[in-house]
Amino acid sequence: MTAAPRTAAIDPASVDLRTRMGALELGDPILAASGCFAYGQQFADFMDLRRLAGLSTKGISPKPRFGNPLPRICETASGMLNSIGLENVGAEAFLAEKLPFLRELGVSVWVNFFGEDFAAYVECARLLEAGRGQGIAVLEMNISCPNIKKGGIEFGTVPEVAHRLTRACVDVTDLPIVVKLTPNVADIVGMADAVAQAGAAGVSLINTITGMAIDVRTRRPRIATMYGGLSGPAIKPVALRMVHQVATALPGLAICGMGGIVSGEDALEFIMAGASCVQVGTANFARPDAALVVVDELRARMAELGIASVSEIVGCIRPIAPEAPQVTE
Amino acid sequence: MPSQFSARVDTNRDLGGGYVVLEFAAEGGGLGDVVAGQFAMLRGDWGRELLNPRAFSVLWSAPDGRFAVLLKAYGRGTTRLVASQPGARVTVTGPLGHGFAPPDGVRTQLLVAGGVGLPPLHLQARQSAARGHAGVTELYYGGRNRDDLVMLDDFAAWGVRAVLATEDGSAGIRGFVTAALEERLVEAQRSGEQVEILSCGPTPMLAAVRKIGLRFEVPTWLCLEEEMACGFGVCLGCAVPVHGPRPYLYCCSDGPVFEAKQVRWP
Ligand SMILES: Cc1cc2nc3c(=O)[nH]c(=O)nc-3n(C[C@H](O)[C@H](O)[C@H](O)COP(=O)(O)OP(=O)(O)OC[C@H]3O[C@@H](n4cnc5c(N)ncnc54)[C@H](O)[C@@H]3O)c2cc1C
Ligand SMILES: Cc1cc2nc3c(=O)[nH]c(=O)nc-3n(C[C@H](O)[C@H](O)[C@H](O)COP(=O)(O)O)c2cc1C
Ligand code: FES
């Protein structure tokens, strides 16, 4: 039995949602996640984008990519599988055609990026460095590319390789690099430590979990590449566990948490587990303004619980108190 | 411009054969003017079990925010929607995508429909009739049996000629509707009549219509269905294989209506 902290509800308007992700200051802790927000434009029809604290773009590679055969997505219990194939417009077109729109919004723009091989990662970081001072706040390096072939798996799963890759990218840009880790590893702390040692400004946790769905009538996988990335509420417990493990083992490392966030309470769980900010991904498909809904709900829930500021609860959770010793006689 | 708004089920009308027309009343907003073939994403209060909305072609949309869709229980989302009672709340995003072009008054539009592919063509016929083009609009409508063919009275009321086909011969000609379409195209070829094909229905039917359209060298427009998550060009899940400079376009934002010769199918 663990008693809840005894606190009276407070005025929602007085809740301080400001947070820091390393040196980066954010108006609130809720951002839109990569691949679930494109380059932002389509959302302007449905919401005031300037109300967002920030967003992460679709993953950018040095050259444009066209993506995978179809079907590319399928819905599963409380989640969905995707194998989009990291389709994107390429770094050059991103800087010329997409970034000016994002810059105008005045939100924290995280540019998610990757490369097909080691050199392409470094090349992409170098190309995006040109966007420093043009609206880019963070480079979010996606080292978990389950959907590209060519041995890309090592970047996200072998700590030494991730370390070298991070170091090489940090060396070519003055933008902070937040490394987005894959959950498809045995030791997430080892991976986080490796990229932190290489100069990462923080980590994003988690990308999608590799999964599969089968159509029993046709005896075919439901997505063309056989396996895809699972996202949505189904993965939240795994994401929370990883955020907590990394936050506990590496207290100095800034964490952006994500995986299945749909409500303010979900966001609160991630923050309490140790995330300084979070991203909302799949939920944007059902509600383009999902991130703003999460912000509003977070504020209301914090007020109800008497929590005055985000900063006081980052990583605040404590273990459940030990049981009383059993008397056998 | 699309918007997101909530609506309530106003009526749930059973048409037989598993088909249901759901009429909705918007609570603020609405779809506004809709081009035949445009769709809306609908999501009930499904909690966290079913995440993504489902796409439905708009059957009609009125200026007061009321609109309707035609559907059949298929998987998890449609089964819930078919069972929804008046008063049930849904979140609606739309109108989305690009629909069919209206008749140019010269070419006869042959509307080829099957199953839940009827709504875009029903709306096209409604709008064409309202613009005085009922005479150059014909419906080719196929199903397994008589129960698969719904809303026929509407086409009759609009003065749109309907050619029916059922696999069991219980209504219209026996066999696939594509056979009737081919006969019509032979006739048009002989007389020099200019025609175009607009089609929506099950993918095997669309594949057959596409081949026929290409063979007769008739402009052919297909309203496609792909698995969707967002419906507004963000997730990149609804890829459609195409010919041209890029291997894929997107069903939701570039379509759902595509020209047959552009679609890269076998
Ligand atoms: C542009 C567009 C317009 C559309 N318009 C309409 C419309 O007007 N009316 C309408 O009824 N539908 C329409 N659809 C289709 C409708 O959106 C689908 O029926 C729906 O997406 C399937 O959702 P579900 O929840 O029923 O199935 P889900 O449970 O989500 O199942 C999804 C997938 O699971 C498989 N599956 C599940 N159950 C079955 C089954 N019984 N048989 C075969 N495969 C199965 C299939 O692979 C299917 O793709 C449209 C789709 C698009 C893209
Ligand atoms: C359709 C889709 C595309 C995605 N594309 C990317 C991507 O390009 N780069 C990336 O780092 N993560 C990508 N992700 C992962 C998300 O950013 C996020 O890490 C993951 O989906 C978990 O969060 P969620 O459950 O809130 O969606 C994608 C996810 C989805 C569903
Ligand atoms: S359904 Fe998301 S891009 Fe088309």
Side-chain angles (χ1 to χ4, degrees):
Chain A
M1 263 176 38
T2 306
R6 227 182 270 272
T7 34
I10 58 173
D11 176 9
S14 73
V15 172
D16 183 359
L17 292 179
R18 287 174 304 168
T19 186
R20 302 177 75 92
M21 169 84 189
L24 183 77
E25 293 179 11
L26 294 165
D28 70 61
I30 316 297
L31 294 89
S34 177
C36 305
F37 219 72
Y39 311 104
Q41 284 118 317
Q42 293 93 331
F43 289 80
D45 284 344
F46 305 105
M47 62 190 283
D48 181 0
L49 282 160
R50 287 164 304 187
R51 281 190 56 207
L52 281 174
L55 61 89
S56 176
T57 66
K58 179 72 193 160
I60 302 289
S61 50
K63 294 268 173 313
R65 283 177 57 98
F66 288 126
N68 286 335
L70 57 146
R72 293 178 173 186
I73 53 172
C74 83
E75 210 184 56
T76 56
S78 298
M80 65 179 277
L81 288 169
N82 89 78
S83 176
I84 305 300
L86 296 167
E87 173 158 348
N88 76 93
V89 297
E92 200 181 312
F94 171 76
L95 291 170
E97 295 157 26
K98 308 293 181 186
L99 187 57
F101 172 85
L102 295 171
R103 181 188 193 174
E104 281 302 299
L105 299 175
V107 307
S108 187
V109 176
W110 296 27
V111 180
N112 187 277
F113 80 98
F114 68 96
E116 276 98 345
D117 54 30
F118 196 100
Y121 266 95
V122 181
E123 167 75 352
C124 203
R126 204 182 51 72
L127 290 170
L128 292 169
E129 160 69 12
R132 190 161 56 85
Q134 309 296 313
I136 300 179
V138 168
L139 294 186
E140 185 179 47
M141 182 163 101
N142 177 8
I143 58 168
S144 43
C145 304
N147 302 334
I148 57 169
K149 304 207 170 68
K150 290 198 204 157
I153 198 77
E154 285 188 358
F155 298 131
T157 56
V158 180
E160 301 77 64
V161 178
H163 178 93
R164 270 194 291 123
L165 187 65
T166 305
R167 173 59 52 82
C169 290
V170 165
D171 282 347
V172 297
T173 177
D174 287 333
L175 284 163
I177 292 189
V178 169
V179 181
K180 183 159 175 182
L181 301 179
T182 171
N184 304 308
V185 294
D187 176 16
I188 194 71
V189 171
M191 290 302 303
D193 194 30
V195 302
Q197 299 290 338
V203 290
S204 283
L205 290 169
I206 60 174
N207 210 313
T208 54
I209 301 178
T210 306
M212 182 178 194
I214 293 169
D215 184 333
V216 296
R217 293 162 303 119
T218 60
R219 305 185 183 185
R220 298 267 194 281
R222 281 204 194 275
I223 50 175
T225 52
M226 195 75 75
Y227 313 128
L230 182 64
S231 65
I235 71 170
K236 197 186 87 177
V238 178
L240 273 174
R241 183 261 293 176
M242 290 188 165
V243 167
H244 184 253
Q245 283 180 317
V246 172
T248 311
L250 307 168
L253 184 62
I255 300 172
C256 176
M258 72 202 74
I261 296 177
V262 174
S263 70
E265 178 140 341
D266 293 333
L268 199 48
E269 284 188 69
F270 274 90
I271 294 165
M272 289 185 172
S276 301
C277 63
V278 301
Q279 293 180 9
V280 176
T282 305
N284 292 295
F285 301 150
R287 270 203 81 132
D289 61 349
L292 299 181
V293 172
V294 171
V295 175
D296 292 344
E297 289 181 3
L298 175 66
R299 178 185 290 284
R301 193 76 181 102
M302 285 174 64
E304 254 170 45
L305 297 171
I307 303 166
S309 69
V310 168
S311 56
E312 74 196 55
I313 50 161
V314 173
C316 71
I317 62 156
R318 299 285 169 266
I320 287 173
E323 291 176 1
Q326 184 180 7
V327 179
T328 50
E329 279 306 302
Chain B
M1 204 171 87
S3 66
Q4 186 165 71
F5 56 92
S6 63
R8 293 200 183 264
V9 175
D10 197 45
T11 59
N12 177 335
R13 199 151 46 89
D14 187 348
L15 303 186
Y19 292 89
V20 156
V21 170
L22 287 180
E23 289 186 19
F24 296 93
E27 302 185 311
L31 294 172
D33 288 336
V34 170
V35 178
Q38 283 190 302
F39 62 97
M41 299 298 284
L42 301 186
R43 185 170 184 277
D45 287 333
W46 295 336
R48 287 170 193 229
E49 214 183 313
L50 284 195
L51 296 180
N52 294 329
R54 302 294 194 261
F56 294 94
S57 306
V58 179
L59 185 60
W60 53 259
S61 161
D64 64 358
R66 298 167 55 77
F67 69 96
V69 300
L70 170 75
L71 72 163
K72 201 172 177 168
Y74 176 70
R76 301 176 299 162
T78 48
T79 301
R80 280 173 169 77
L81 284 168
V82 161
S84 60
Q85 296 301 311
R89 214 177 64 93
V90 292
T91 303
V92 186
T93 311
L96 298 165
H98 302 278
F100 293 115
D104 58 11
V106 177
R107 284 182 188 277
T108 303
Q109 289 197 329
L110 307 175
L111 315 181
V112 185
V116 292
L118 184 68
L121 303 166
H122 186 272
L123 183 56
Q124 181 77 0
R126 176 197 295 275
Q127 294 179 342
S128 297
R131 291 175 186 136
H133 291 308
V136 287
T137 305
E138 295 172 21
L139 177 71
Y140 290 78
Y141 189 12
R144 272 183 306 269
N145 53 52
R146 175 71 191 80
D147 285 347
D148 255 353
L149 306 178
V150 298
M151 312 191 90
L152 294 171
D153 294 349
D154 292 337
F155 293 91
W158 298 326
V160 170
R161 180 173 158 242
V163 175
L164 309 180
T166 50
E167 286 167 37
D168 68 356
S170 56
I173 58 171
R174 179 191 292 273
F176 292 125
V177 73
T178 42
L181 175 69
E182 278 189 85
E183 275 178 37
R184 179 67 176 84
L185 291 173
V186 169
E187 181 196 311
Q189 219 168 29
R190 220 179 278 131
S191 67
E193 181 191 5
Q194 291 195 53
V195 297
E196 62 182 329
I197 300 169
L198 281 57
S199 186
C200 187
T203 300
M205 186 195 95
L206 291 180
V209 169
R210 174 176 166 273
K211 287 203 164 142
I212 293 167
L214 293 179
R215 180 149 46 84
F216 282 84
E217 295 179 1
V218 169
T220 300
W221 307 90
L222 309 175
C223 187
L224 303 185
E225 247 186 47
E226 290 299 338
E227 199 85 18
M228 291 186 178
C230 69
F232 58 102
V234 169
C235 71
L236 308 186
C238 65
V240 171
V242 291
H243 296 292
R246 308 175 47 193
Y248 300 104
L249 289 176
Y250 292 93
C251 188
C252 69
S253 49
D254 298 308
V257 174
F258 291 89
E259 191 164 10
K261 63 182 181 202
Q262 189 182 20
V263 177
R264 182 165 51 88
W265 281 352

